[in-house]
Amino acid sequence: MSDTSLTIDNILAPELTLCRVAASSKKRALEFIAEQINHQDNTLSETQLFNNLISRERLGSTGIGQGIAIPHCRLEGLDHVVGVLMTLEESVEFDAIDNQPVDLIFALIVPKEATSEHLELLSQLAEKFNERSFCDRLRQCEDASTLYQRMTASGG
């Protein structure tokens, strides 16, 4: 098993790409992420996922600015990386570094042991989201399948 093959394309499933989610707060957005992951794989505890995401947020907001957040955490007993992409119907307060509300979220759940892969994925995401035109194209999506295609399309 090669650990160099972890890319956004192979951790993001169409079922976990969600468009225009109605979330009234940061907490609600994180709850929704945990619910969706549990819905796809009920061996993963929704409560544990949510608690781990919240614990990570307490260390410092994962809002990276310009309306984008990359919440992430490690999960005991997980054997693969799980990605969740969602756009929000309305921006929510996320304590982001630029104090801007967030409407574009990519959550990353990694196995407890993962380290370098985890950091590599975070840097890939940060790089993609650094491109304003790319983010605008994601925000313009009206449905999940378009959102998924735009996120996984290579070359930007």
Side-chain angles (χ1 to χ4, degrees), residues 18 21-23 26-38 50 84 86 88:
L18 310 150
V21 172
K26 173 179 179 172
K27 178 176 180 280
R28 187 63 203 116
L30 296 174
E31 280 172 352
F32 188 78
I33 289 165
E35 281 166 23
Q36 295 303 308
I37 293 171
N38 171 262
F50 175 70
V84 180
M86 65 185 198
L88 300 180

Side-chain angles (χ1 to χ4, degrees), residues 50-67:
F50 175 70
N51 289 342
N52 290 13
L53 285 167
I54 286 288
S55 297
R56 171 58 193 83
E57 288 299 321
R58 286 196 188 112
L59 299 175
S61 175
T62 56
I64 60 171
Q66 296 179 1

Side-chain angles (χ1 to χ4, degrees), residues 11 108 112 116:
I11 61 153
L108 202 54
K112 193 92 173 132
S116 58

Side-chain angles (χ1 to χ4, degrees), residues 105-140:
I105 298 175
F106 195 107
L108 202 54
I109 316 298
V110 298
K112 193 92 173 132
E113 306 72 47
T115 49
S116 58
E117 302 101 312
H118 181 199
L119 296 173
E120 174 56 32
L121 277 168
L122 283 172
S123 80
Q124 280 180 42
L125 285 167
E127 200 173 310
K128 268 193 180 239
F129 286 139
N130 209 11
E131 212 178 303
R132 191 175 290 255
S133 61
F134 174 73
C135 294
D136 290 343
R137 288 199 302 278
L138 294 183
R139 288 184 169 108
Q140 287 156 6

Side-chain angles (χ1 to χ4, degrees), residues 14-93:
E15 304 78 39
L16 288 173
T17 305
L18 310 150
C19 195
R20 301 191 183 273
V21 172
S24 50
S25 65
K26 173 179 179 172
K27 178 176 180 280
R28 187 63 203 116
L30 296 174
E31 280 172 352
F32 188 78
I33 289 165
E35 281 166 23
Q36 295 303 308
I37 293 171
N38 171 262
H39 186 68
Q40 287 307 309
D41 182 347
N42 60 15
T43 64
L44 304 177
S45 157
E46 190 179 314
T47 308
Q48 192 182 2
L49 282 161
F50 175 70
N51 289 342
N52 290 13
L53 285 167
I54 286 288
S55 297
R56 171 58 193 83
E57 288 299 321
R58 286 196 188 112
L59 299 175
S61 175
T62 56
I64 60 171
Q66 296 179 1
I68 299 154
I70 309 179
H72 54 278
C73 68
R74 295 166 190 271
L75 190 65
E76 194 81 57
L78 187 65
D79 62 358
H80 61 287
V81 177
V82 178
V84 180
L85 171 65
M86 65 185 198
T87 58
L88 300 180
E89 190 69 65
E90 303 278 331
S91 299
V92 297
E93 202 45 63

